[in-house]
């Protein structure tokens, strides 16, 4: 349901503003999809006595989570125990070769539904045939940054094209009351020839939108960049002009060295950190602490269902924290507040939307979630005093299933833990219907192409 004007309250309100302010008994006045007042419930009721109040007892109110890098899909659990190279050539690229538009749309319905159920209000989705993705987001109610999976090279002609990307921008950018934004995407720099690379840059400039690609995910990339360009990846991207676009976000950035981190901090470049995916594909551990210290906006992403197995951003926060501690052998690394900010306001900054979302502040869009506190995972709960532990429990204990309410743009899309904008059963049944024939087509292609797809064809 869409709330025109209502006060939403909880036991605690995490604003995620510059001071990480927490208000006990806090409340938010929502009107027309925006936040118009924030403060203690008693104060908001006193100043707005005629406005209805909804209190979420035994719950924390906080900003909706921002998933900075994801891929819709339905390969969950079917491409396991493989390094990234074999995973791409034997599973992922063959999937793209046989993917059909209605299958791509069904995957987006599934992934966006899972996202809002787990408290994620914004998804950066790099996917295919994204008219269907935009339709799914319009209906489900999530905020979407749509990034077409583009291959602009003769050897990658089974991906979307820049023509399709531009059509998507013209048709959907800033639509659905501003909830949908469309960026320019390349699956990887090597998936485009010289002309394709130049056109991707020109498109992002012409339409004043962001550019997103995978880079420095696997160590093997470093040698290939050295071979082609005589330098490390970030310098090559800058020389080619990608950092002259309105905003560039790099997915993974696992193999950036400290000099590259300092270099991208001087440009409009952000990083989408995908800790679960990087662990599962044995890609490595990114220098996230160095990036944050240098001022690089780093968001957290789940990556796709096939390289993660879920879209639970609470789980992703926990892994981001633990992986950072393990990397530095420092139990104090990746502080809980820093990780929460990566999933909210810093993630919003990484995608250029921190002026609209990412914190509960007057004037911003009403993207809010309520997280239950009456669970074993959140017990004991101390919202004030010397044992204050809200931030630690949210990062290290909570799971997406603990979210009881999700609001996007003032519309409640999940209430009492249930999806309100679509039928979850219908979504799941549709995947069950389309998955078997898709896998059969992929198996048939692989039977004729046992070595899988070509990878990293030399740009022409």
């Amino acid at each position: 349901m869409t709330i025109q004007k209502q006060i939403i309250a909880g036991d605690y309100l995490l604003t995620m503003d510059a001071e990480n302010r927490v208000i006990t008994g806090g409340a938010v006045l929502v009107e027309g999809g925006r936040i118009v007042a924030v403060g203690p419930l008693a104060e908001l009721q006193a100043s707005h006595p005629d406005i209805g109040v909804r209190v979420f007892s035994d719950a924390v109110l906080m900003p909706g989570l921002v998933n900075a890098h994801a891929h819709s899909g339905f390969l969950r659990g079917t491409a396991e125990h493989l390094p990234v190279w074999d995973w791409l050539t034997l599973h992922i690229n063959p999937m793209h070769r046989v993917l059909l538009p209605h299958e791509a749309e069904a995957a987006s319905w599934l992934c966006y539904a899972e996202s809002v159920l787990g408290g994620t209000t914004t998804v950066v989705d790099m996917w295919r045939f994204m008219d269907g993705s935009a339709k799914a987001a319009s209906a489900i109610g999530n905020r979407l940054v749509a990034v077409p999976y583009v291959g602009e090279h003769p050897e990658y002609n089974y991906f979307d094209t820049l023509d399709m990307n531009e059509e998507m921008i013209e048709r959907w950018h800033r639509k659905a009351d501003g909830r949908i934004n469309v960026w320019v995407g390349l699956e990887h720099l090597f998936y485009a020839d010289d002309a394709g690379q130049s056109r991707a840059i020109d498109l992002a400039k012409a339409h004043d939108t962001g550019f997103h690609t995978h880079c420095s995910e696997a160590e093997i990339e470093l040698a290939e960049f050295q071979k082609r360009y005589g330098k490390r990846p970030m310098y090559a991207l800058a020389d080619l002009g990608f950092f002259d676009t309105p905003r560039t976000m790099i997915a993974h950035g696992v193999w950036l060295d400290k000099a590259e981190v300092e270099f991208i901090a001087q440009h409009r470049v952000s990083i989408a950190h995908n800790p679960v995916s990087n662990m599962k594909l044995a890609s490595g551990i990114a220098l996230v602490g160095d990036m944050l210290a240098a001022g690089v906006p780093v968001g957290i992403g789940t990556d796709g269902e096939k390289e993660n197995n879920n879209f639970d951003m609470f789980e992703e926060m926990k892994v981001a924290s633990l992986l950072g501690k393990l990397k530095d052998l420092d139990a104090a690394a990746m502080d809980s507040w820093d990780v929460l900010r990566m999933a909210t306001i810093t993630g919003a900054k990484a995608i250029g939307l921190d002026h609209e979302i990412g914190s509960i502040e007057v004037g911003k869009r009403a993207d809010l979630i309520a997280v239950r506190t009456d669970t074993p995972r959140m017990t004991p709960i101390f919202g004030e005093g010397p044992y204050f532990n809200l931030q630690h429990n949210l990062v290290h204990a909570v799971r997406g299933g603990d979210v009881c309410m999700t609001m996007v743009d003032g519309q409640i899309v999940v209430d009492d833990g249930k999806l309100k904008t679509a039928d979850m059963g219908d979504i799941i049944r549709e995947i069950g219907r389309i998955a078997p024939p898709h896998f059969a087509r992929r198996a048939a292609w692989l039977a004729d192409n046992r070595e899988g797809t070509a990878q990293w064809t030399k740009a022409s």
Side-chain angles (χ1 to χ4, degrees):
M1 60 180 173
T2 300
I3 294 176
Q4 295 302 320
K5 200 169 188 179
Q6 188 171 6
I7 294 172
I8 306 295
D11 294 347
Y12 306 101
L13 174 65
L14 271 67
T15 63
M16 301 310 299
D17 63 8
E19 289 77 39
N20 294 331
R21 188 165 52 113
V22 178
I23 304 172
T24 301
V28 183
L29 173 57
V30 175
E31 182 177 2
R34 288 197 180 271
I35 297 166
V36 297
V38 179
L41 174 58
E43 292 184 8
L44 265 60
Q45 283 183 300
S47 57
H48 302 87
D50 298 327
I51 296 177
V53 177
R54 177 152 183 205
V55 178
F56 288 89
S57 300
D58 298 317
V60 177
L61 292 181
M62 62 179 289
L65 305 181
V66 177
N67 187 342
H69 181 70
H71 305 289
S72 290
F74 51 89
L75 302 189
R76 200 183 313 254
T78 65
E80 304 295 304
H81 306 309
L82 293 169
V84 67
W85 193 267
D86 292 342
W87 179 80
L88 280 169
T89 58
L90 295 174
H91 288 270
I92 307 312
N93 288 352
M95 175 272 293
H96 285 294
R97 278 193 171 276
V98 301
L99 186 68
L100 299 175
H102 74 277
E103 297 171 337
E105 179 174 342
S108 289
W109 280 86
L110 179 71
C111 295
Y112 302 163
E114 180 183 357
S115 295
V116 295
L117 283 166
T120 296
T121 51
T122 299
V123 180
V124 180
D125 189 15
M126 178 178 276
W127 189 226
R128 302 279 311 284
F129 307 114
M130 293 200 78
D131 268 338
S133 303
K135 292 173 184 175
S138 296
I140 289 173
N142 59 291
R143 200 173 298 280
L144 173 66
V145 177
V147 186
Y149 234 138
V150 171
E152 198 72 17
H153 187 286
E155 294 294 331
Y156 294 108
N157 60 5
Y158 50 91
F159 284 88
D160 284 18
T161 66
L162 287 173
D163 283 344
M164 295 168 69
N165 200 150
E166 185 166 33
E167 290 169 4
M168 185 73 191
I169 293 172
E170 292 170 347
R171 192 156 45 244
W172 284 103
H173 190 44
R174 299 194 175 98
K175 296 296 175 63
D177 297 322
R179 284 190 292 108
I180 296 175
N181 288 277
V182 184
W183 285 18
V184 176
L186 285 180
E187 202 287 350
H188 191 282
L189 181 66
F190 300 158
Y191 282 42
D193 57 20
D194 293 344
Q197 293 171 7
S198 296
R199 188 180 171 205
I201 294 166
D202 291 343
L203 274 183
K205 290 180 179 178
H207 293 280
D208 191 28
T209 193
F211 170 78
H212 188 37
T213 192
H214 301 89
C215 196
S216 298
E217 179 177 4
E219 186 178 19
I220 193 172
E221 296 176 53
L222 303 182
E224 188 68 17
F225 267 94
Q226 188 66 37
K227 175 183 173 183
R228 296 189 188 203
Y229 300 106
K231 56 193 64 179
R232 292 182 66 91
M234 295 302 106
Y235 305 119
L237 288 170
D239 287 352
L240 290 168
F242 285 97
F243 293 174
D244 298 327
T245 58
R247 174 173 307 280
T248 295
M249 185 165 69
I250 303 298
H252 300 291
V254 171
W255 289 93
L256 272 61
D257 64 14
K258 292 186 177 182
E260 283 181 293
V261 169
E262 295 294 334
F263 178 70
I264 65 172
Q266 301 166 28
H267 296 81
R268 292 186 298 272
V269 177
S270 57
I271 297 290
H273 176 46
N274 305 273
V276 170
S277 170
N278 293 341
M279 292 171 67
K280 183 178 179 184
L281 298 178
S283 300
I285 308 176
L287 298 175
V288 176
D290 296 86
M291 294 175 191
L292 294 172
V296 177
V298 181
I300 297 176
T302 59
D303 217 349
E305 91 302 340
K306 53 203 174 298
E307 56 267 56
N308 185 313
N309 299 73
N310 67 54
F311 281 70
D312 190 339
M313 280 287 291
F314 282 100
E315 179 181 87
E316 208 73 34
M317 281 194 280
K318 178 174 184 174
V319 175
S321 176
L322 299 185
L323 190 60
K325 297 175 190 301
L326 181 63
K327 174 192 170 295
D328 293 339
L329 298 180
D330 178 4
M334 296 301 288
D335 174 77
S336 296
W337 279 120
D338 291 339
V339 175
L340 268 176
R341 293 184 71 82
M342 288 169 65
T344 54
I345 187 61
T346 307
K349 184 176 182 181
I351 62 174
L353 290 179
D354 52 313
H355 62 295
E356 289 276 43
I357 61 171
S359 60
I360 299 177
E361 298 182 86
V362 172
K364 289 195 172 184
R365 306 305 303 182
D367 290 10
L368 318 170
I369 64 174
V371 182
R372 292 175 55 197
T373 59
D374 60 342
T375 65
R377 283 182 288 278
M378 283 289 270
T379 303
I381 185 76
F382 296 103
E384 52 192 351
Y387 302 108
F388 181 89
N389 65 353
L390 280 182
Q391 80 279 31
H392 300 310
N393 282 357
L394 286 167
V395 169
H396 291 115
V398 166
R399 291 292 175 265
D402 297 329
V403 173
C404 57
M405 187 276 291
T406 300
M407 172 187 286
V408 186
D409 238 16
Q411 179 188 20
I412 292 180
V413 299
V414 171
D415 202 0
D416 195 24
K418 295 179 175 59
L419 183 65
K420 308 302 290 185
T421 50
D423 188 310
M424 194 72 243
D426 286 348
I427 292 171
I428 291 172
R429 281 187 290 272
E430 178 64 5
I431 296 297
R433 184 185 72 83
I434 68 171
H438 172 89
F439 278 86
R441 293 196 311 276
R442 192 181 70 166
W445 187 88
L446 282 167
D448 294 331
N449 301 270
R450 295 187 181 280
E451 294 183 0
T453 59
Q455 189 70 1
W456 288 358
T457 304
K458 175 64 179 173
S460 58

